[in-house]
Amino acid sequence: MILCITHSNDFYNIDLFFDYLKSKNIPYFRLNSDHLNDFQKISINEDSFELIDEFGNILHSKDIKAVWHRKSWRITVPEDLDEDYEKIFLKEYGSLRYNLFTVLEDLSWINPYEQETKVDGNKMYQLKIAQKFNLTIPKTLFSNDEEKILTFFKEHCKGKAVAKLHGVITKSMNGENFLSTTIIDENNLEHIADIAYCPMIFQPYIEKEYELRIVYVAGEFFTGKINNSENADWRVVQGNFMWSEYDLPKEIKANLTSMMKEMMLYLGAIDMIKAKDGKYYFLEVNPQGEWGMLQKELHFPIAQRIADNLIKRIK
């Protein structure tokens, strides 16, 4: 059995994955991370667990042979729970979820849970490893210090920068409530003092030809190009923009492969920019990043390759 850890609103990508497993007669179990709460009955000991999900399906850890950690969402809090108990509810169910996941740590995962958490939670680590393997990265500052940010803007940004949160507001496919990359120029620097309440990542604005969303699956690349040069982030693109298939240069593929191996990731959605100066700039890799639009519009077999990799690695 392959366990897929996802969330209750997940669709399309996960359906493609399950359909492919069905065609191979591989059993699977869908575990909704946001419902790992009072909706489910969970018992864990030192080396195993048993779970009854919200639909009455029973899962024994001994039956699981591989894991895809597709996405984890915030645990749902019961509507009738007293607000005074919400913090402890989330803390203890979060601990329960973590303990459940780590019971399975010796199995084959996409990606190894602890390593994925490290990479996803540390953009500066990502940039360090990317640079180690000869990928071009933008000059970057992660700060809450107004003076340091103003100095960075003056010395490196030529009058225009981008600011973005380290994390995202939502991980939904449709991007609702998503806080996108913000363009900073001389006109809105006056509000930078508010940074004390929310540290952000700052980089020089890169004049680009287009953006690339690159899905890496164990050495194989599925790359989409979006003809977006005027927006700071393709996620907020509206209008006559479309994805097209793109062939990365061999050197970029080799460098990305080395980076992903160093990070110990089998899967990742990589964002890069092809700039007007001719360089390819690495921005970030999201181990749980979205790729459904590439499979839908460009017919890339990404879900199938993820499944194939797990099937091949089952111990």
Side-chain angles (χ1 to χ4, degrees):
M1 176 188 289
I2 291 179
L3 173 66
C4 182
I5 301 166
T6 182
H7 59 85
S8 58
N9 290 326
D10 200 7
F11 64 98
Y12 188 69
N13 303 45
I14 199 68
D15 295 334
L16 292 170
F17 180 75
F18 289 151
D19 287 344
Y20 186 71
L21 291 181
K22 287 178 188 176
S23 74
K24 298 289 184 181
N25 295 315
I26 303 291
Y28 61 85
F29 194 100
R30 174 176 181 152
L31 184 60
N32 290 324
S33 57
D34 51 329
H35 288 175
L36 274 167
N37 54 12
D38 58 312
F39 288 0
Q40 309 195 17
K41 303 297 183 184
I42 307 165
S43 297
I44 309 172
N45 59 36
E46 65 276 7
D47 60 2
S48 65
F49 66 75
E50 179 181 287
L51 177 147
I52 304 174
D53 72 8
E54 63 266 43
F55 307 108
N57 301 308
I58 300 174
L59 175 66
H60 295 278
S61 56
K62 62 181 176 61
D63 297 325
I64 302 168
K65 303 303 180 187
V67 184
W68 178 25
H69 183 222
R70 156 87 173 132
K71 283 186 187 293
S72 285
W73 267 17
R74 185 179 188 270
I75 293 170
T76 303
V77 177
E79 292 183 2
D80 59 350
L81 184 69
D82 192 308
E83 290 183 5
D84 293 339
Y85 292 96
E86 182 172 333
K87 287 185 179 180
I88 192 169
F89 178 92
L90 290 172
K91 180 178 182 297
E92 293 309 311
Y93 269 105
S95 296
L96 184 72
R97 184 166 78 176
Y98 178 73
N99 278 261
L100 185 147
F101 289 177
T102 54
V103 165
L104 305 171
E105 62 185 356
D106 293 331
L107 299 179
S108 296
W109 282 64
I110 289 187
N111 297 291
Y113 182 68
E114 297 285 7
Q115 189 62 24
E116 179 179 270
T117 301
K118 175 182 178 179
V119 173
D120 194 38
N122 195 333
K123 296 295 191 292
M124 305 310 288
Y125 168 75
Q126 293 185 20
L127 294 172
K128 176 183 176 180
I129 301 301
Q131 193 170 40
K132 176 181 176 180
F133 291 104
N134 301 313
L135 292 161
T136 302
I137 63 171
K139 192 74 176 175
T140 304
L141 177 68
F142 190 8
S143 180
N144 70 342
D145 186 325
E146 177 186 359
E147 291 186 10
K148 295 290 187 184
I149 295 165
L150 291 173
T151 299
F152 178 84
F153 184 87
K154 180 179 179 181
E155 293 182 354
H156 301 290
C157 298
K158 298 179 180 178
K160 197 173 184 181
V162 293
K164 51 191 174 184
L165 295 178
H166 187 284
V168 295
I169 298 301
T170 179
K171 293 187 178 182
S172 64
M173 289 183 66
N174 59 19
E176 290 180 1
N177 299 319
F178 177 84
L179 185 61
S180 64
T181 301
T182 301
I183 295 177
I184 303 292
D185 58 23
E186 300 283 356
N187 295 323
N188 50 20
L189 274 177
E190 61 186 275
H191 303 296
I192 206 68
D194 292 339
I195 196 68
Y197 302 103
C198 184
M200 298 183 78
I201 294 174
F202 296 86
Q203 295 172 331
Y205 182 85
I206 299 171
E207 296 292 340
K208 59 194 171 188
E209 291 185 21
Y210 44 78
E211 293 181 69
L212 301 171
R213 169 51 66 106
I214 305 158
V215 180
Y216 172 95
V217 186
E220 193 169 359
F221 290 88
F222 303 95
T223 303
K225 164 190 168 183
I226 191 166
N227 56 328
N228 167 42
S229 60
E230 61 265 40
N231 296 289
D233 193 316
W234 63 263
R235 296 168 186 83
V236 296
V237 167
Q238 296 181 358
N240 296 320
F241 298 97
M242 62 185 69
W243 291 98
S244 59
E245 188 170 349
Y246 190 82
D247 188 19
L248 283 171
K250 290 182 180 179
E251 182 182 2
I252 299 296
K253 287 182 179 180
N255 294 342
L256 288 172
T257 298
S258 296
M259 180 195 76
M260 296 297 280
K261 287 182 177 179
E262 177 84 0
M263 293 178 180
M264 295 187 286
L265 298 179
Y266 291 93
L267 171 68
I270 300 164
D271 286 327
M272 297 189 78
I273 286 174
K274 174 67 183 303
K276 290 184 178 179
D277 63 11
K279 296 178 182 179
Y280 289 85
Y281 287 85
F282 170 87
L283 300 181
E284 65 177 331
V285 55
N286 184 344
Q288 300 175 3
E290 287 299 341
W291 44 262
M293 66 288 188
L294 299 185
Q295 178 138 4
K296 183 177 182 180
E297 296 187 30
L298 304 179
H299 309 291
F300 289 149
I302 299 170
Q304 292 84 344
R305 291 295 184 271
I306 295 170
D308 284 339
N309 183 267
L310 278 177
I311 294 167
K312 179 178 68 176
R313 292 167 52 221
I314 287 175
K315 298 176 182 178

